[in-house]
Amino acid sequence: MRPAPDYSLYLVTDTGMCGERGVPKTVAAAVRAGVTMVQLRDPDAGDRELVALGRAVRDVLAGTGVPLLVNDRADLVGEIGADGAHIGQGDMSVPRARALLGETRLLGLSVHDVGQVEAAREYGEALDYLGVGPVWATSTKPGHAPPGGPGRLRDVVAASPWPCVAIGGIDAGRIAEVRATGVAGAAVVSAICAADEPAAATRELRDRWDAAREGA
Ligand code: TZP
Ligand code: MG
């Protein structure tokens, strides 16, 4: 078994939202302020662009102990030198991603509901965690599945044999409610990437997560 990382504050990057500051600098500020996990997500980037960006982020994370995962592109994880991949329901299959990653890298899968948790059970130890969402509606991912709210999140956590990370519409005002569902972590895009000051925004999320009551 791979050791479980600290999922508590999970940053998913958005290149457009990071703007002129850029993804690597945004990641550096966020990690110094308390992000514990980073996923590089740029569905519009070509392969070369994604590899270059991924390597820059990997360099920023070197020595921090914070893992870097790549969205969708398990095939580029080795070239980037990342620590794993995160795939969605419509992406490559879990067995295919695991075969590309080998046994030591991390693999997460997005689910929307309990039915998708049950369908994933057969993957067992090939998976490390589930991303669950969107919890709330978000303009960050146009065309996303209908939001399930904290109620459905709680149901998924209860049904899941893997640690769960919530995503979708999470900000500082909602993170305590998210933690109360029993998730291992909260993933955010705009709350950090679109913030004027990513470090301050991260610190607030971190403090509120730490102060919140863990769910059961
Ligand atoms: N998957 C489900 S919702 C979402 C992704 C990538 C976007 C979440 O973005 P935000 O800005 O944290 O609501
Ligand atoms: Mg995907």
Side-chain angles (χ1 to χ4, degrees), residues 12 17 41 133-134 137-141 144 167-170 187-191:
V12 180
M17 283 184 198
R41 181 173 186 271
T138 174
S139 52
T140 301
K141 190 181 187 183
H144 63 65
I167 189 164
I170 299 172
V188 301
V189 184
S190 54

Side-chain angles (χ1 to χ4, degrees), residues 122-137:
E122 61 171 310
Y123 303 130
E125 293 192 1
L127 275 179
D128 294 282
Y129 76 98
L130 298 180
V132 188
V135 184
W136 290 281

Side-chain angles (χ1 to χ4, degrees), residues 21 24-35 60 197-200 202-203:
R21 188 175 52 228
K25 270 193 189 161
T26 305
V27 168
V31 167
R32 276 196 298 270
V35 155
V60 156
E197 293 183 41
T202 303
R203 246 176 255 117

Side-chain angles (χ1 to χ4, degrees), residues 71-72 88 91:
N71 183 266
D72 290 2
D91 300 324

Side-chain angles (χ1 to χ4, degrees), residues 24-90:
K25 270 193 189 161
T26 305
V27 168
V31 167
R32 276 196 298 270
V35 155
T36 59
M37 187 106 182
V38 175
Q39 180 189 136
L40 178 69
R41 181 173 186 271
D42 190 340
D44 300 327
D47 289 17
R48 293 298 96 208
E49 207 183 336
L50 194 65
V51 168
L53 188 57
R55 287 179 170 171
V57 174
R58 176 204 62 190
D59 290 350
V60 156
L61 293 177
T64 64
V66 170
L68 172 64
L69 271 56
V70 180
N71 183 266
D72 290 2
R73 301 300 305 271
D75 56 317
L76 296 180
V77 164
E79 228 179 308
I80 290 171
D83 305 292
H86 183 94
I87 57 173
Q89 294 285 323

